[in-house]
Amino acid sequence: MASRMHALLAHEAPDDRKPVVLVVDDEPLMLTALGRLFECAGLAVELYRSGADFFEKARFDRPGCIVLDVRMPEMSGIEVQALLGERNVQLPVIFLTGTSEVHIAVEAMREGAADFIEKPFEPDHLLARVHAMIVRDAARRHDSGERNDVLRRIKLLTPRELSVMALVVAGNTSKQIARTLGGSHRTVDIHRHHLMEKMNAVSVADLVRMGLLASETPVPAPSRRHTAGQ
């Protein structure tokens, strides 16, 4: 039943933009019940009976979340989570756990799991948590897409424009930047105008936000070796 439902839902939800709930549980009755719960709530869902089946068939480039049982034979939920981390899969993980396994789920959250829910659980509570994780994943993907766009624009800047941007993001005025880099206040203003255009920033605050968003790839530090006309 689980395999048939997996095939059916995978066929019915070809839109890669649509969130999907990936469920991994070795208990057939629980797996089927979870599939019906999410399907009735209007969510696309795929069901997997083991970690091996999950990694063999699932695609992780789609939005959504993972609902993962802690205790499974051959590959436990913790081992599945570890392998997800190794593969840099960033989908939020909700663990399903028995009362005696709560300490395991707590440790899993220290390793990056988003949430855990004890069995038996209220269906509405699980649905609420799944919806929250889908929203969380959507926000992460939006930020990631925006960050990539910012990094792409940063590559268009000259070395001097990068230096000016770093100082603007740090809160410096044009006069302060001119004193730091050398050159005139007017030259700094020209560089600021050019970098604002290239970054598509509508204000200094917008430029600062972009600089913070790109902080994982730091803007090169300003250097005095550049001449004012660079």
Side-chain angles (χ1 to χ4, degrees):
M1 175 66 179
S3 298
R4 188 178 72 83
M5 183 177 293
H6 168 267
L8 176 63
L9 291 174
H11 176 73
E12 288 181 347
D15 188 350
D16 288 347
R17 297 168 298 179
K18 184 176 181 180
V20 59
V21 184
L22 306 176
V23 183
V24 190
D25 197 309
D26 65 303
E27 298 180 17
L29 292 179
M30 176 61 72
L31 197 64
T32 300
L34 289 170
R36 288 173 177 166
L37 173 66
F38 296 133
E39 187 180 24
C40 289
L43 295 169
V45 58
E46 294 181 7
L47 307 175
Y48 302 92
R49 284 188 169 182
S50 68
D53 185 45
F54 180 51
F55 285 110
E56 179 183 350
K57 299 176 182 176
R59 284 178 44 215
F60 304 118
D61 57 338
R62 298 167 296 173
C65 73
I66 299 170
V67 176
L68 180 60
D69 190 28
V70 167
R71 188 177 296 278
M72 296 185 293
E74 299 180 8
M75 186 184 296
S76 70
I78 301 302
E79 290 172 324
V80 170
Q81 180 195 22
L83 191 51
L84 287 169
E86 291 177 11
R87 298 187 180 188
N88 197 32
V89 176
Q90 298 185 50
L91 286 170
V93 175
I94 300 175
F95 273 104
L96 299 181
T97 175
T99 302
S100 62
E101 301 158 347
V102 169
H103 68 286
I104 300 176
V106 170
E107 185 62 31
M109 291 191 70
R110 293 195 183 102
E111 297 298 322
D115 204 352
F116 74 90
I117 296 177
E118 291 183 63
K119 298 177 181 178
F121 51 81
E122 291 292 332
D124 287 346
H125 177 60
L126 176 58
L127 281 174
R129 297 310 303 151
V130 164
H131 280 295
M133 292 304 105
I134 289 174
V135 170
R136 171 173 164 175
D137 183 56
R140 176 189 64 80
R141 289 171 183 272
H142 176 270
D143 289 345
S144 178
E146 188 176 10
R147 181 180 294 110
N148 289 339
D149 184 60
V150 168
L151 294 176
R152 179 183 60 80
R153 291 178 181 278
I154 283 177
K155 291 180 180 178
L156 302 176
L157 303 181
T158 66
R160 177 46 62 100
E161 288 166 353
L162 279 169
S163 298
V164 172
M165 179 174 175
L167 291 169
V168 170
V169 171
N172 291 272
T173 64
S174 291
K175 289 183 179 179
Q176 291 170 325
I177 294 171
R179 286 196 296 268
T180 299
L181 299 181
S184 69
H185 174 280
R186 177 176 174 77
T187 299
V188 170
D189 280 341
I190 291 173
H191 287 309
R192 283 182 61 155
H193 176 73
H194 288 164
L195 77 89
M196 293 282 282
E197 282 190 336
K198 290 180 180 180
M199 294 301 296
N200 197 26
V202 298
S203 65
V204 172
D206 197 26
L207 187 68
V208 170
R209 182 186 61 80
M210 292 180 183
L212 295 175
L213 192 62
S215 60
E216 291 183 4
T217 305
V219 176
S223 171
R224 291 180 180 274
R225 290 180 297 175
H226 301 131
T227 62
Q230 280 183 294

